[in-house]
Amino acid sequence: MQLPRFTAVRKGFTLVEILIATAILAALAAGMWEASAYAKAKGLKNTANSQIQLLETSLNAYRADSGGTLPFGRGDEYSSHVLYKALYCDNDNNGEPDEQDGAMMMPYCPSMVVIKNKKEAEQEEGIPAVRAKLTTKEGGKRISGKFFIIMDPWGKPYRYRLGYDVEDERGKTGPGMNPDFDIFSLGPDGLGDGKTNDGDNEDNISNVRSWK
């Protein structure tokens, strides 16, 4: 009597098959991560461009009210505070617009939002202004303290330079690339030209800027 033959049933996957499937899944995950990172980076740059346009429009309104003069800025970190004071009408650095004739002044940039906690900036709509520790020189003296700055989407201060064809209240022109003024961000790397953070960064392609 001949015994019946049984066909062996294959169970599970071989090690080679598992390795191939793992490699495919890893490649798909990497591709999705790169696409997500690219979309986020592009979104931040678009946000910076939109904010710079709003700041430009606001500063032009300030210029019209001030008889054609603009505040002096050299493009360093402190220049962000100079821009903030002009556009938020906060010369005493208390986070509130100043008063004039018994009434609070209206900021030139209504999209600006003063935020006391820097960590909350990403949760706020508008252009965030936060306190930051800065050092500058005024009248030959070194000044350090906490000043409000206008923050870009990467958590760094927007920079401002007075143009070469416009005078400040002292009759001094600036080092800007544009004849009137420059407003710019150092971009995602925050390094400027890679050598200095003093505003000499017009050649860095990662910057988001108000000139071509």
Side-chain angles (χ1 to χ4, degrees), residues 1 10 29 37 44 47 62 81 84 103 125-126 140 155 163 196 207 209-210:
M1 180 177 178
R10 181 181 176 185
L44 291 175
T47 297
Y62 171 93
H81 178 61
Y84 161 80
E125 294 184 0
T196 176
N207 292 344
R209 55 203 186 184
S210 61

Side-chain angles (χ1 to χ4, degrees), residues 199-210:
D200 301 325
N201 60 359
E202 56 268 12
D203 294 326
N204 189 331
I205 60 174
S206 72
N207 292 344
V208 185
R209 55 203 186 184
S210 61

